[in-house]
Amino acid sequence: RFRMICLILVVLLFILVLVGASKSKSTPSEQSQSGNEQAQFTSQLMSLLSEKSRNAHLLADSPQTTALAWLVNQSKFESYSYKRLVQRYALATIYYSMSGDSWKKNDLWLTEADECNWYPQNDEKFNNCDDDKNLKFLTLSANDLYGSLPDEISLLTALDTIDLSRNDLEGTLSSYIGTLSKISSLNLERNNFTGSIPISLTNLPQIQNLILSSNDFEGEGPLATDLAAWSNLVEISLDSNSLVTGQISKSIKTLSKLRSFLIGNTSINGSIPSEIFSLSNLKYFEAANALLDGQIPTEIGRSTDLLVVRLSRNKLTGLLPSEIGLLPNLEFLTLSENQLSGQIPSELGLLKNILEIKFEDNKFNGIIPSQIGQLTTIAALHVASNSFTQQSLPSEICGLTTSHDLPTSDLRVTCTVVSCDCCSGEDGTKCVAASEAIDHHRHPDDTNCTEPDIFGC
């Protein structure tokens, strides 16, 4: 408490110097009244700040000190309510913390204009604030922001949306962002944030879109904790944070509104909890290039709204559940570079909307089911580098490439294991149509395979 009092006295002295310098033409009584108002506001403000931010006010050139100096020197200072002063201070601190003078667009920022009109949206009818002048939208995407996100973000308590994506922000993400109880969308993708993802984010009861992809976060992510507070969550994107670890909590079953679950290119590990497939609204399950292990739960057949399942380059083992055939809307199924074994289930022939099936580099054996030939929408089928025992590809699958009415043009198999009876022509490439994709699994003695790993060799 003593430290707090000393800090306030230092800041007040600084404010009084500023007031005296900026209002030297005012009468002594006017200066005294103004100074008292500045001092009272400063004292109240200090009680709202984190210890980090209070200490920053001891530095003459910190964003916090600069922001407060700008605020108290505004000619309309006395006309603003306390709430508006706090809001303007918070925005000024954000401006100075993120190199606001270098932004692509900083229209009206740090002017006497209403802060609700700073950097307005393209739609002139759109207002950044509600009817009570509380800031609801902070959208500065792709605006050349540099620096860090200060703790003062927590002072904007009415925020609904924060979009700071596609900038060059760095440093750790303030845990105080987890106090913004009204926020529904937080988008920080494609920045350079480091450190752990604050566990306080799991306390956001209104959050619908949490997008933290393509940063440098590390450590155990929020998915390993109790997720019950995220009952409104629709999308979570943690992908392309290669050092984010941890397992997926079984409490994910409480996210009944979840549609998009993106954790690819991370170090998230452990098994896929069967509970995730109790989510009837789930459409996108993308976890390629992670560290998931164990089997794909048979419960996957319950998520009948699934459009995309991408689990390539993990450590998945066991059989491919036949229940995948119960997913009528599935368009993309990529399971390459795992350790899946057994036969490919014939139920895949029920996937009437499938566009891509990619199973290369697994341990599948037996035969490639002819039912795949019923998939008239499929454009890519990759089954190279497995352990099939059949000698030739089913004619039904070859028919996918020979019919002019079908789109399939990218079919791959290991030529030294499975031959393609639909092959014709001197170069043996008729069945690949427009495809130019090549996988390098060609056997050195296989002189008949002119384009390795493509059906048609």
Side-chain angles (χ1 to χ4, degrees):
R1 183 175 178 81
F2 177 76
R3 179 187 176 95
M4 175 75 167
I5 293 173
C6 290
L7 175 60
I8 291 175
L9 290 174
V10 171
V11 175
L12 288 178
L13 179 61
F14 175 69
I15 295 298
L16 290 173
V17 171
L18 286 175
V19 171
S22 64
K23 299 186 177 181
S24 58
K25 295 183 180 180
S26 302
T27 66
S29 61
E30 289 174 336
Q31 291 183 26
S32 176
Q33 180 180 356
S34 178
N36 289 336
E37 291 176 353
Q38 317 276 4
Q40 183 179 4
F41 169 75
T42 300
S43 177
Q44 293 175 322
L45 177 65
M46 290 299 129
S47 67
L48 299 178
L49 302 183
S50 66
E51 182 178 1
K52 177 182 177 181
S53 292
R54 290 197 299 268
N55 289 337
H57 278 282
L58 297 174
L59 305 175
D61 58 350
S62 70
Q64 287 79 4
T65 302
T66 309
L68 185 58
W70 167 80
L71 181 65
V72 299
N73 276 299
Q74 293 297 290
S75 61
K76 297 182 180 179
F77 180 90
E78 292 83 359
S79 67
Y80 292 113
S81 66
Y82 171 72
K83 183 174 65 175
R84 291 282 302 283
L85 287 173
V86 171
Q87 183 166 273
R88 289 173 74 84
Y89 163 78
L91 288 171
T93 303
I94 289 171
Y95 182 89
Y96 288 118
S97 296
M98 299 182 182
S99 308
D101 289 343
S102 300
W103 293 353
K104 285 183 180 178
K105 293 183 66 176
N106 53 13
D107 304 2
L108 301 180
W109 277 76
L110 301 196
T111 67
E112 295 280 9
D114 187 336
E115 68 273 16
C116 295
N117 296 323
W118 292 357
Y119 188 22
Q121 303 297 310
N122 293 329
D123 184 353
E124 294 181 358
K125 297 180 181 179
F126 187 90
N127 197 323
N128 288 317
C129 296
D130 61 21
D131 292 341
D132 295 322
K133 297 293 185 181
N134 297 308
L135 191 74
K136 293 190 65 178
F137 302 95
L138 182 63
T139 54
L140 297 167
S141 177
N143 199 41
D144 285 349
L145 275 59
Y146 300 88
S148 60
L149 180 62
D151 290 350
E152 278 77 3
I153 188 70
S154 65
L155 299 179
L156 303 173
T157 56
L159 275 176
D160 172 273
T161 299
I162 298 175
D163 186 355
L164 305 178
S165 60
R166 293 179 291 158
N167 285 293
D168 288 298
L169 298 175
E170 58 187 13
T172 58
L173 181 58
S174 172
S175 62
Y176 286 90
I177 206 167
T179 66
L180 298 174
S181 60
K182 296 182 180 180
I183 197 157
S184 68
S185 180
L186 175 61
N187 188 348
L188 302 177
E189 72 173 339
R190 293 177 62 181
N191 278 285
N192 302 304
F193 286 108
T194 56
S196 60
I197 299 173
I199 198 67
S200 62
L201 294 185
T202 59
N203 297 326
L204 300 174
Q206 303 300 323
I207 193 72
Q208 296 179 28
N209 304 97
L210 180 60
I211 306 173
L212 305 177
S213 53
S214 300
N215 279 282
D216 296 310
F217 289 116
E218 60 186 52
E220 187 170 88
L223 295 179
T225 63
D226 186 357
L227 305 176
W230 280 353
S231 59
N232 290 299
L233 193 67
V234 174
E235 174 185 10
I236 182 168
S237 177
L238 304 179
D239 59 289
S240 299
N241 285 284
S242 61
L243 299 179
V244 169
T245 63
Q247 300 186 6
I248 305 171
S249 170
K250 291 184 177 182
S251 65
I252 198 168
K253 65 183 179 182
T254 62
L255 310 185
S256 61
K257 298 179 182 179
L258 190 66
R259 295 181 58 193
S260 184
F261 185 69
L262 312 180
I263 59 168
N265 298 301
T266 67
S267 295
I268 292 174
N269 52 65
S271 61
I272 301 172
S274 60
E275 288 80 1
I276 194 171
F277 297 120
S278 67
L279 305 177
S280 59
N281 292 305
L282 188 64
K283 293 184 180 294
Y284 304 93
F285 181 26
E286 304 199 25
N289 196 29
L291 297 175
L292 299 175
D293 56 29
Q295 298 186 3
I296 299 174
T298 58
E299 288 82 357
I300 191 172
R302 298 170 60 185
S303 291
T304 54
D305 273 4
L306 272 170
L307 297 174
V308 177
V309 175
R310 288 195 170 104
L311 295 170
S312 298
R313 296 184 298 281
N314 278 281
K315 300 180 179 181
L316 299 174
T317 58
L319 304 178
L320 180 61
S322 61
E323 287 80 0
I324 286 181
L326 301 175
L327 305 177
N329 301 305
L330 193 64
E331 296 179 354
F332 296 90
L333 178 61
T334 62
L335 305 173
S336 305
E337 298 182 51
N338 281 286
Q339 300 174 44
L340 298 170
S341 58
Q343 289 198 180
I344 295 176
S346 61
E347 286 81 359
L348 292 188
L350 300 174
L351 301 176
K352 300 303 182 183
N353 290 297
I354 198 73
L355 298 175
E356 288 186 5
I357 294 177
K358 295 184 178 181
F359 291 170
E360 61 262 78
D361 290 297
N362 277 285
K363 297 181 179 180
F364 289 117
N365 54 41
I367 63 173
I368 301 172
S370 61
Q371 288 84 351
I372 291 178
Q374 302 171 12
L375 304 177
T376 58
T377 59
I378 193 168
L381 174 62
H382 299 182
V383 291
S385 298
N386 280 285
S387 302
F388 299 116
T389 57
Q390 71 193 103
Q391 297 301 309
S392 63
L393 190 71
S395 60
E396 293 88 347
I397 295 178
C398 285
L400 291 174
T401 62
T402 57
S403 171
H404 295 293
D405 298 326
L406 300 179
T408 309
S409 61
D410 187 6
L411 303 179
R412 308 183 192 184
V413 69
T414 304
C415 304
T416 55
V417 177
V418 178
S419 64
C420 181
D421 292 339
C422 63
C423 230
S424 64
E426 293 182 0
D427 60 356
T429 60
K430 179 177 179 180
C431 295
V432 301
S435 174
E436 296 180 356
I438 297 177
D439 281 352
H440 301 286
H441 297 284
R442 179 178 178 180
H443 191 279
D445 297 328
D446 186 6
T447 57
N448 295 320
C449 188
T450 59
E451 287 194 333
D453 285 336
I454 303 174
F455 284 162
C457 291

